[in-house]
Amino acid sequence: AKENGKNNYQYYTSSLNLSNQRRMELETGLRNAINNNELSLHYQPQVNLVSNQIIGLEALVRWQHPKYGFISPAEFIPLAEETGLIFSIGKWVLKTACTQCKQWIDFGLPIESVSVNVSPLQFREKNFVSSVNQILEESDLPPRYLELEITESVTSNVNQALSIMKEIKELGVRFAIDDFGTGYSSLNYLRHFPIHKLKIDKSFIDEINQHKDGEEIVKTIIELGNRLRFQVIAEGVEDEQQLSFLKENNCYLAQGYFFSKPLPAEEIEVLLRKKIVE
Ligand code: C2E
Ligand code: CA
Ligand code: CA
Ligand code: CA
């Protein structure tokens, strides 16, 4: 037993070192990821449940690491936030998504919007508004096509968030509240923010047909969103039952593996040419 304990301990420390080493390598690698062309965007369709048309695409960043292969944004975005690399990565994502969207429009493809995730740090950065403006000009994308996904956490400083959002709204850009229901937000403040869309977090959608309380939360968010005249979209929809629950409860926009995984631009283009997702 003693020996076992010792082995466990050794195993534990060496795996700790390993993860420290991985972290350090990822940190160094992330600094060069943009220049080395290791970042790319995948796009996931947002679907209108009445017409079955794709109404928008969410851009999701991908990192192909030369040694470790695919690294999830759930791992490297927090790292980028800790190291300050989020600012350059965020700009790269925005620029790439806007340029891609403009190209699809020029091809005559039916696309209404591209949604880009914005880290709270990026959102609060001094030059955020002007860099959004600059990227829109450089990519020649009409601002109404751009939607920024922010989380409830940006509303912690109400006045600051409100003034940034108003300036960006002035440009013609829209806002979606991402992961809605998982963070802190005052419903009263929410009313005053220039928000276009509420995204119901996947964790609630997972509860459909599983837990009554979770279902009630989903219904309540949909009703709240509809009453405040936000668009309401369900994220992480994986099956038919979730879909019919959403429709029955007046949610008409959805995104999830049931329709499509996030796909590289070329594959999205094929879907857009078909116009309708099967
Ligand atoms: P998110 O914004 O909540 O994005 C939804 C995540 O759920 C994505 O994971 C997406 O691929 C995944 N997903 C979509 N539909 C389904 C489904 O039906 N089932 C399941 N199991 N998963 C589904 P992904 O791409 O790994 O991104 C994870 C998180 O990383 C995102 O969560 C977002 O917070 C962050 N992220 C991704 N790209 C960016 C970016 O460009 N900038 C910033 N700041 N954050 C990003
Ligand atoms: Ca998102
Ligand atoms: Ca989410
Ligand atoms: Ca289920």
Side-chain angles (χ1 to χ4, degrees), residues 205-210 239 241-242:
I205 304 306
D206 289 340
E207 303 270 288
I208 297 173
N209 287 317
Q210 309 292 333
D239 60 48
Q241 295 96 299
Q242 294 171 337

Side-chain angles (χ1 to χ4, degrees), residues 40 55 94 103 119 152 239 249:
S40 64
I55 54 113
L94 199 56
Q103 197 184 79
S119 151
E152 289 160 277
D239 60 48
N249 291 286

Side-chain angles (χ1 to χ4, degrees), residues 58 117 149 178 199 235:
E58 179 180 9
N117 292 282
E149 295 195 0
D178 207 359
K199 296 192 81 172
E235 97 178 351

Side-chain angles (χ1 to χ4, degrees), residues 132-150:
V132 170
N133 196 21
Q134 191 189 340
I135 288 169
L136 284 169
E137 278 174 6
E138 283 169 4
S139 60
D140 203 23
L141 179 72
R144 67 174 182 281
Y145 286 96
L146 178 62
E147 180 173 84
L148 300 179
E149 295 195 0
I150 55 175

Side-chain angles (χ1 to χ4, degrees), residues 41 44 58-62 70 72-74 77 81 86 89-90 93 116-119 122 149 178-179 199 201-202 235-238 255-258 260-262:
L41 293 184
Q44 188 177 36
E58 179 180 9
L60 294 154
V61 69
R62 300 289 178 257
F70 168 74
S72 165
I77 290 293
E81 289 175 333
I86 192 66
I89 292 174
V93 169
V116 175
N117 292 282
V118 174
S119 151
Q122 198 188 348
E149 295 195 0
D178 207 359
D179 302 337
K199 296 192 81 172
D201 191 61
K202 179 179 184 301
E235 97 178 351
V237 176
E238 293 181 343
Q255 186 182 343
Y257 293 174
F258 180 76
S260 169
K261 293 198 167 180

Side-chain angles (χ1 to χ4, degrees), residues 43 57 95-107 109 111-115 139 141-142 145-146:
Y43 298 87
L57 296 161
K95 178 78 189 281
T96 307
C98 288
T99 306
Q100 181 61 72
C101 184
K102 166 69 177 161
Q103 197 184 79
W104 282 329
I105 294 165
D106 288 348
F107 287 164
L109 295 172
I111 171 168
E112 286 174 31
S113 65
V114 68
S115 305
S139 60
L141 179 72
Y145 286 96
L146 178 62

